Amino acid sequence: MPPIIAVTATTEVIRDVLRVRVNEAYTRALTEVGLVPFVIPPLPSAAAADAIRAVDGLLLTGGEDLAPDRYGQEAHPTVDVHVGRDESEIALCLAAMAQGIPTLAICRGIQVVNVALGGTLIQDIPSQRPNALDHDPRVERSDRVHDVSVAADSLLAAALEADRLVANSSHHQALDRVADGLRVTACAPDGVIEGAEFTDPRWWMLAVQWHPEELIATPEPWDRNLFAAFARAVHERRG
Ligand code: MN
């Protein structure tokens, strides 16, 4: 049996019906490295923790903003939340951490991990960090738009097989106070956090603020390498 990966989905009204939805780029990026995606809708926390027991890995996907009351703040007017997703994904994250289930966290995913472990977010980069780069430019999702420097001694650099890259960028939030247990391993030139990882090797958890799933067909190998490293981590844990 190939490894099964839980892929978090959102819910959205499409053609008048509330539906479970996830961008196909995520599931394709997994199948390209021999992993089988299992799409997980937003679930109550107990059911989310049960779901983790059935899988070999977890992919936390992009999407809405976390509700700021999760980290003790009032919401900035630009914040767009999905509280059912927050409950589900925080429970998935904590269950994956407790069981050492390899986890790749993308965009909203890096924010979910940081908040689940007790960190905070910049709620709106343009208004709260006015000197920052434009992290949400109106370009194609697969356009590489800003540099990222990666700590050379990090798991993330080993996974990417690079300590600098150019990434796409489609986010208006970022990590602010970093949770205990996480190490920042990648930053944009303006200091905005673009990558983090868990410091205890019992939980393989790499997190990025960009969208590697949109970049697996580009000439540069970094993002394909990241998914391949996730697959290796999943296989190594299964033994
Ligand atoms: Mn960015």
Side-chain angles (χ1 to χ4, degrees), residues 81 142 155 160:
V81 304
S142 58
L155 276 182
L160 296 163

Side-chain angles (χ1 to χ4, degrees), residues 125 133-137 145-148 167-171 173-174 188 190 192-194 209-210:
I125 296 169
L133 298 169
D134 183 356
H135 284 269
D136 196 10
V145 296
H146 68 65
D147 290 345
V148 174
N168 55 0
S169 194
S170 180
H171 58 109
Q173 300 196 328
D190 56 8
V192 166
I193 292 170
E194 292 280 343
Q209 186 61 70
W210 74 93

